[in-house]
Amino acid sequence: MALYRVSCIMCNQVPYIRLLSVLSVVRLIEQYLKENNLYRTLATLQEETSVTLNTVDSIESLVSDINHGHWDRVLQAIESLKLPDKTLIDLYELVVLELIELREFSSQADRPYACTEAATA
């Protein structure tokens, strides 16, 4: 894997050299694009480099939504993540079982999620 030298200035204006991998540079650019709402550019960069940012905006918020059963928010948050098929299947199974338990059969029926894709993969 190629490494690049990046000059940085730290305390007392003392320069130092840090080596960053290509993946780190791509992820740093992806983070910048996401933070600046440049989603089409982000998607293009991820597609062309096969490197995904794979982050959520707030891990605390995601954990809270999971603990409180706000599955619509959870599914929306993980939509852009590249999770293993087994993890997705387990999550979808948990959501379906909890909704059945709560008798919420029509919950978010108008929002398509990739349940069938994960189940057939």
Side-chain angles (χ1 to χ4, degrees):
M1 176 181 301
L3 297 174
Y4 292 98
R5 291 179 183 216
V6 179
S7 296
C8 299
I9 297 180
M10 291 299 287
C11 302
N12 301 326
Q13 303 295 327
V14 178
Y16 74 97
I17 303 296
R18 173 175 283 183
L19 298 177
L20 297 174
S21 72
V22 173
L23 295 177
S24 298
V25 172
V26 171
R27 286 195 177 106
L28 186 63
I29 294 168
E30 288 176 344
Q31 182 178 350
Y32 170 82
L33 295 172
K34 182 177 181 180
E35 290 172 357
N36 288 281
N37 300 321
L38 300 169
Y39 297 112
R40 286 187 304 180
T41 308
L42 174 62
T44 302
L45 180 61
Q46 288 177 336
E47 181 182 327
E48 291 182 359
T49 62
S50 299
V51 176
T52 58
L53 196 53
N54 233 14
T55 62
V56 292
D57 291 333
S58 168
I59 190 70
E60 293 85 10
S61 175
L62 179 63
V63 169
S64 174
D65 288 340
I66 291 170
N67 289 334
H68 292 97
H70 299 148
W71 299 115
D72 54 331
R73 293 186 208 162
V74 173
L75 293 173
Q76 188 176 27
I78 66 153
E79 202 170 44
S80 63
L81 301 180
K82 303 292 184 211
L83 297 174
D85 287 343
K86 171 123 176 62
T87 303
L88 285 173
I89 291 169
D90 290 344
L91 176 63
Y92 294 140
E93 183 179 322
L94 177 67
V95 170
V96 168
L97 292 174
E98 184 163 321
L99 292 176
I100 289 171
E101 183 178 299
L102 295 172
R103 298 185 181 272
E104 293 185 19
F105 299 112
S106 63
S107 178
Q108 298 293 325
D110 60 329
R111 295 181 65 178
Y113 291 106
C115 293
T116 55
E117 290 177 18
T120 59

